[in-house]
């Protein structure tokens, strides 16, 4: 668990704020807001694990030397999740969902965390923790300090009520990461996993998300393509509240085939 927290906190914008959040203070803020579900994550507490395979396209290897993009099928353990510390978060009322991937290559675990939102609500981990502790009376001042919070709420309001299921989503890296190629050149990039084969598979709203996932996977694997975007010169690299314009260039880095669900963790 510690490793994932460190990974998330390390993957912040490159500004001066990267090491200003004390992980213990962040966890205490989650515990105060949501209480504690013993043995569970303090955030994204409700979730469903899945097994998958990722196979990179030949194009990916032109941008990165990472072995997970070699083109060889890579085994992945993934997890869909609901944000917040509520273990009993209601599926039908959830608008935001997460997808985490753990690529397993020899002894390497390469982890990615994504959300089905176009941009993050706040610019820094510090602001994220502040958001957890803000009282209703302080909310107005908090939103004035971080205009992205209002924009984020607006973008959620414009969504249809509730997410339909774990598969009918896109999952966005939100942050900028660097790809390193054979010549050791660093290229900033962001990515989104898009569902590919949802056509004809309607969600049965009488089932919860875990049951729907099992029902859909009974008819075969669910495919999601990893589409990588590169920034336009005007795009900000170190602000997750800023949605990239991008130069329009997109490269398909590979396909994730989800084959089965595991258990709620
Ligand atoms: C763009 C920013 C972020 C994204 C995309 C993101 C996404 C996610 C996802 C998908 C998970 C679930 C992981 C799983 O299923 O195993 C997660 C867990 C978590 N996130 Fe974030 N997150 C972000 C920022 C943050 C920040 C800023 C904090 C705190 C300051 C934070 C704290 C946590 C914690 C404590 C967990 C639980 C980790 C564990 O115990 O396994 N996240 N996040």
């Amino acid at each position: 668990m510690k490793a994932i927290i460190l990974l998330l906190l390390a993957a912040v914008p490159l500004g001066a704020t990267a090491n200003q959040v004390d992980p213990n203070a962040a966890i205490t803020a989650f515990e105060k807001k949501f209480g504690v579900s013993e043995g569970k994550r303090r955030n994204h507490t409700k979730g469903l694990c899945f097994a998958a395979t990722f196979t990179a396209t030949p194009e990916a290897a032109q941008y990165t030397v990472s072995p997970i993009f070699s083109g060889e099928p890579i085994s992945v353990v993934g997890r869909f999740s609901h944000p917040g510390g509520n273990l009993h978060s209601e599926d039908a009322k959830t608008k935001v969902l997460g997808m985490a991937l753990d690529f397993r290559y020899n002894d390497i675990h390469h982890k990615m965390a994504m959300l089905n939102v176009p941009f993050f609500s706040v610019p820094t981990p510090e602001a994220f923790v502040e958001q957890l502790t803000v009282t209703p009376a302080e909310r107005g001042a908090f939103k004035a300090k971080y205009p992205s919070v209002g924009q984020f709420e607006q973008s959620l309001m414009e969504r249809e009520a509730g997410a339909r299921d774990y598969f009918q989503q896109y999952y966005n890296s939100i942050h900028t990461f660097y790809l390193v190629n054979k010549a050791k050149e660093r290229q900033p990039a962001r990515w989104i996993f898009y569902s590919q084969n949802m056509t004809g598979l309607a969600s049965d709203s009488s089932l919860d998300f875990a049951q729907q996932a099992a029902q859909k996977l009974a008819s075969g694997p669910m495919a999601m393509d990893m589409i990588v975007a590169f920034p336009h010169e005007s795009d900000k690299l170190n602000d997750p509240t800023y949605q990239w314009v991008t130069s329009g260039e997109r490269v398909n880095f590979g396909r994730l085939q989800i084959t089965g669900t595991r258990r709620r963790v």
Side-chain angles (χ1 to χ4, degrees):
M1 180 171 91
K2 213 177 247 173
I4 295 184
I5 297 168
L6 289 176
L7 180 88
L8 286 163
L9 295 181
V12 296
L14 303 174
T17 50
N19 48 18
Q20 287 176 2
V21 167
D22 170 8
N24 289 317
I27 294 306
T28 302
F30 280 111
E31 291 182 346
K32 280 198 176 146
K33 186 171 167 82
F34 298 106
V36 173
S37 297
E38 279 304 334
K40 306 283 183 190
R41 290 162 179 76
R42 295 302 188 257
N43 192 16
H44 291 255
T45 308
K46 179 174 174 179
L48 178 72
C49 276
F50 58 81
T53 303
F54 179 79
T55 312
T57 57
E59 287 73 33
Q62 292 169 21
Y63 295 87
T64 166
V65 289
S66 165
I68 70 170
F69 297 108
S70 67
E72 198 183 303
I74 307 287
S75 162
V76 176
V77 172
R79 184 170 178 268
F80 294 118
S81 58
H82 299 233
N86 178 5
L87 183 59
H88 306 290
S89 159
E90 264 185 72
D91 290 351
K93 292 193 178 154
T94 303
K95 285 192 174 181
V96 178
L97 288 170
M99 182 171 82
L101 301 176
D102 180 0
F103 295 75
R104 293 165 179 207
Y105 179 82
N106 294 337
D107 291 339
I108 300 170
H109 284 250
H110 184 111
K111 296 175 196 251
M112 293 181 188
M114 292 150 280
L115 297 170
N116 67 338
V117 293
F119 53 88
F120 208 56
S121 57
V122 283
T124 62
E126 207 180 11
F128 189 72
V129 175
E130 199 180 332
Q131 186 169 28
L132 292 170
T133 52
V134 92
T135 63
E138 293 162 347
R139 186 94 189 136
F142 179 77
K143 284 175 79 170
K145 187 170 166 192
Y146 300 108
S148 53
V149 173
Q151 289 154 7
F152 184 78
E153 286 172 356
Q154 180 67 30
S155 86
L156 291 187
M157 264 162 53
E158 285 162 10
R159 291 189 159 180
E160 61 182 281
R164 280 169 295 171
D165 68 31
Y166 289 131
F167 293 124
Q168 292 192 36
Q169 308 291 332
Y170 66 88
Y171 292 98
N172 184 355
S173 75
I174 300 168
H175 278 311
T176 307
F177 293 80
Y178 284 90
L179 304 170
V180 182
N181 68 13
K182 287 195 186 90
K184 299 201 169 123
E185 290 156 342
R186 296 167 85 236
Q187 162 82 63
R190 294 181 178 186
W191 63 85
I192 294 181
F193 276 86
Y194 289 102
S195 292
Q196 295 301 314
N197 54 348
M198 296 309 307
T199 327
L201 287 173
S203 294
D204 179 344
S205 55
S206 68
L207 303 177
D208 70 19
F209 286 6
Q211 290 166 327
Q212 284 181 25
Q215 189 188 56
K216 288 185 174 179
L217 290 170
S219 63
M222 284 295 130
M224 286 192 182
D225 280 358
M226 179 180 177
I227 307 299
V228 176
F230 301 102
H232 183 267
E233 57 185 15
S234 65
D235 283 334
K236 292 184 193 167
L237 300 185
N238 63 354
D239 184 353
T241 67
Y242 178 87
Q243 197 177 358
W244 278 4
V245 175
T246 83
S247 57
E249 192 188 351
R250 300 272 194 283
V251 178
N252 186 344
F253 265 41
R255 177 162 288 196
L256 185 73
Q257 297 262 26
I258 300 176
T259 48
T261 52
R262 290 280 170 86
R263 65 192 164 96
R264 283 211 173 279
V265 277

